[in-house]
Amino acid sequence: MAVCLSGPVCRGLPVARMPRQDSGLAKKLFIKTYGCQMNVYDSARMADVLAPIGYEPVSSVEGADMVILNTCHIREKAAEKVYSELGRIRRLKEERAAGGDRMVVAVAGCVAQAEGEEMLRRAPCVDIVLGPQTYHRLPEMVARVHRAGGGRVLDTDFPVEPKFDALPGEAAPQGATSFLTIQEGCDKFCTFCVVPYTRGAEFSRPAEQILEEARRQVAAGAREITLLGQNVNAYHGVAPGGGEWGLGRLIRALAEIEGLSRIRYTTSHPNDVDEELIAAHRDADALMPYLHLPVQSGSDRVLSAMNRRHRGDDYRRIVERLREARPDLALSSDFIVGFPGETDRDFEETMRLVRDVGYAQAYSFKYSPRPGTPAALQPNQVPEEVKAERLAELQNLLAEQQRRFNEGTVGATMPVLLERHGRLPGQLVGRSPYMQSVHVTADDDLLGTIVPVTVVRATPNGLAGRVSGAAPASAQAGLREGSAV
Ligand code: 5AD
Ligand code: SF4
């Protein structure tokens, strides 16, 4: 399951890493991030590896000494979007060159991995093409570009040395909510998905390395950590005393870190939900009662063609067991409509599964053929207008479920981690345990803290609430007061 929670959109760097004022001395680094949280994390780590050689993040491409496009290839015309962005950057690079300044242009991430040589050929303004597994070597690549007569660099290997060992221990703080990649790559080969080709084979970081990074993040102010991986619950890292830990065991160890109030993980495969993980949902208070568990389709025929290796009923059973362990668990999922060969009846099975499970929120996409994946070659592609109709129908149902879920929390008091300023003066925005975004009016000094909030109203974009008296003992306590989830 790729960690893509909102499609290929462009995101900035995490708040605490937001560009500093121009010091006049440092070289300016502009990173544009597309796609998933793993890319957001990777962008932040690229900034970390470039900091020792004098690069400082800035928020505008104008005047940048180095530009990195960190790309995503999961759906729809990703490569074309990158090439058109490169057209704009080429003009800026030429303007800079006319003024005697150099701009280094790098393309990173999954489009870079997939395009490789082709990108150097098609976009002469690009100096560096690097895959998701090689960004720890960026300083070396930049040095090669700057060397007298220096050339262009293509580095899309899947290196033997794990990049995490080579990254600097110290990472710039990410704020009250931070990401921590614990696993990368995927061996599942769903027939629609590029991830096994662009991110490579599954790899889990050693547990001690993760615990250390988590302790550092907490010391730097993190109250919530989201564990990331393309297939995060396939995690099987070396345990501190030898042997191996799965995700459930790792979460239990992380839950003991003082000051770490919230743990989340994304994104998961149903087949990798094991007893230990279910037990963690029951026992670890810090593990938030929200789970993104993609199912993709409710039709067994389509699931089999997708090579998902589970049926709709297997998924229903897993959800049932998770809910036995954590009755207030809110679920999210990914769905693909119009997979090759999907009939009206198959689609109805998806709608039935959505009604059976009930989601707090979900992401749904039209199937998009990805070059090099088996499903792209299937002859029975579904016409675009059928995909669009099915998507609209599914999204109506999911939106209705989300509305009901949000309305079910009105009147409840929940702990909310206040993360950022809202658009209105005096407004702060945070997250409920169930990932709902909650707007409150509150003093700035509450930013980065967890406060009890009584939900006053459900809005199209989340919840409006009021900071209230004593904090509820747990997320569960919060919902019991007034919900019908
Ligand atoms: N077409 C449409 N959606 C896709 N996804 C992955 N590959 C494709 C594709 N070829 C969706 C899946 C996955 C999410 C990250 O993106 O639902 O879980
Ligand atoms: Fe997820 Fe399947 Fe893609 Fe792996 S191949 S990242 S399990 S969708």
Side-chain angles (χ1 to χ4, degrees):
M1 210 73 28
V3 190
C4 191
L5 292 185
S6 64
V9 292
C10 167
R11 310 246 182 89
L13 287 171
V15 181
R17 206 180 280 273
M18 277 315 279
R20 282 149 274 186
Q21 290 298 312
D22 177 13
S23 65
L25 293 171
K27 285 173 274 182
K28 295 177 191 159
L29 169 67
F30 175 74
I31 307 183
K32 181 164 177 174
T33 308
Y34 298 81
C36 66
Q37 284 138 327
M38 290 198 73
N39 269 13
V40 175
Y41 177 89
D42 285 353
S43 291
R45 300 312 321 257
M46 284 191 249
D48 290 336
V49 297
L50 290 170
I53 60 163
Y55 283 93
E56 209 172 73
V58 292
S59 58
S60 161
V61 66
E62 270 84 26
D65 299 289
M66 178 163 183
V67 174
I68 303 178
L69 300 183
N70 192 10
T71 61
C72 168
H73 202 227
I74 197 104
R75 292 179 294 273
E76 294 163 302
K77 302 193 185 99
E80 288 319 306
K81 283 183 193 159
V82 173
Y83 283 116
S84 95
E85 181 68 21
L86 283 171
R88 205 164 72 87
I89 287 170
R90 190 198 64 206
R91 286 189 290 280
L92 289 171
K93 183 171 171 156
E94 284 166 359
E95 277 167 33
R96 251 179 100 71
D101 291 319
R102 171 116 200 228
M103 178 194 265
V104 176
V105 178
V107 183
C110 294
V111 173
Q113 185 71 40
E115 292 285 292
E117 290 261 13
E118 174 67 8
M119 180 156 278
L120 287 179
R121 208 181 48 74
R122 256 184 87 177
C125 72
V126 173
D127 301 290
I128 300 171
V129 175
L130 71 156
Q133 302 307 329
T134 56
Y135 62 72
H136 57 292
R137 300 202 286 238
L138 254 175
E140 200 182 305
M141 298 180 210
V142 174
R144 267 163 63 194
V145 169
H146 279 298
R147 223 167 273 155
R152 304 163 79 200
V153 180
L154 172 69
D155 194 347
T156 50
D157 289 353
F158 290 113
V160 194
E161 89 276 13
K163 77 173 173 223
F164 293 109
D165 295 350
L167 287 171
E170 285 307 316
Q174 297 182 45
T177 54
S178 61
F179 297 131
L180 203 173
T181 293
I182 66 166
Q183 178 278 346
E184 278 201 85
C186 181
D187 295 338
K188 294 223 164 22
F189 291 92
C190 298
T191 55
F192 54 81
C193 184
V194 287
V195 166
Y197 310 97
T198 57
R199 289 270 173 170
E202 208 184 293
F203 166 79
S204 295
R205 292 176 75 180
E208 192 51 58
Q209 207 181 70
I210 294 165
L211 291 168
E212 245 172 62
E213 189 167 336
R215 283 186 214 108
R216 270 199 303 267
Q217 290 187 350
V218 171
R223 303 292 313 272
E224 172 179 305
I225 292 181
T226 302
L227 308 174
L228 298 179
Q230 264 92 28
N231 230 295
V232 75
N233 62 333
Y235 178 80
H236 57 106
V238 178
E244 213 172 74
W245 277 1
L247 181 61
R249 181 67 190 84
L250 178 70
I251 287 172
R252 275 202 286 136
L254 287 163
E256 282 168 23
I257 297 177
E258 203 165 320
L260 180 57
S261 311
R262 295 179 157 197
I263 301 169
R264 304 182 186 276
Y265 62 90
T266 197
T267 178
S268 311
H269 193 290
N271 291 358
D272 291 320
V273 175
D274 63 10
E275 291 304 325
E276 213 172 17
L277 189 55
I278 294 175
H281 277 281
R282 190 185 54 227
D283 303 329
D285 275 348
L287 183 56
M288 290 293 95
Y290 172 89
L291 176 59
H292 182 68
L293 190 63
V295 64
Q296 314 297 355
S297 167
S299 151
D300 290 346
R301 221 176 56 80
V302 172
L303 285 168
S304 163
M306 287 176 164
N307 191 31
R308 293 288 296 179
R309 301 170 204 230
H310 63 78
R311 289 162 304 169
D313 280 350
D314 300 324
Y315 183 88
R316 286 180 179 85
R317 248 188 313 277
I318 291 161
V319 166
E320 207 175 283
R321 289 176 52 223
L322 283 159
R323 281 183 167 152
E324 274 163 25
R326 183 79 207 220
D328 65 332
L329 188 77
L331 280 161
S332 153
S333 193
D334 289 339
F335 297 91
I336 296 178
V337 299
F339 184 81
E342 184 189 70
T343 62
D344 285 345
R345 185 183 277 185
D346 291 320
F347 175 66
E348 258 322 302
E349 287 292 290
T350 299
M351 296 291 279
R352 190 165 71 84
L353 184 135
V354 172
R355 281 187 211 102
D356 289 350
V357 173
Y359 289 96
Q361 71 158 106
Y363 303 89
S364 44
F365 315 102
K366 289 190 272 188
Y367 169 70
S368 129
R370 304 284 76 205
T373 58
L377 301 173
Q378 277 182 230
N380 45 356
Q381 301 290 326
V382 173
E384 208 42 44
E385 42 314 341
V386 177
K387 286 186 200 172
E389 266 169 40
R390 289 180 187 162
L391 186 67
E393 201 181 326
L394 174 61
Q395 289 187 338
N396 275 341
L397 176 60
L398 291 168
E400 172 58 19
Q401 292 193 343
Q402 180 166 4
R403 192 185 58 75
R404 277 210 305 267
F405 179 81
N406 284 343
E407 280 174 0
T409 58
V410 173
T413 300
M414 298 190 279
V416 171
L417 172 51
L418 297 173
E419 294 171 10
R420 60 184 170 86
H421 289 107
R423 250 181 274 148
L424 303 177
Q427 192 181 53
L428 299 182
V429 188
R431 294 254 176 215
S432 80
Y434 311 98
M435 278 300 269
Q436 297 150 296
S437 78
V438 187
H439 292 67
V440 295
T441 304
D443 282 348
D444 269 16
D445 54 7
L446 289 182
L447 262 184
T449 68
I450 297 175
V451 297
V453 170
T454 302
V455 180
V456 178
R457 198 157 36 88
T459 67
N461 303 322
L463 303 174
R466 149 169 59 71
V467 178
S468 59
S474 71
Q476 224 157 347
L479 252 198
R480 261 190 236 119
E481 277 182 39
S483 83
V485 185

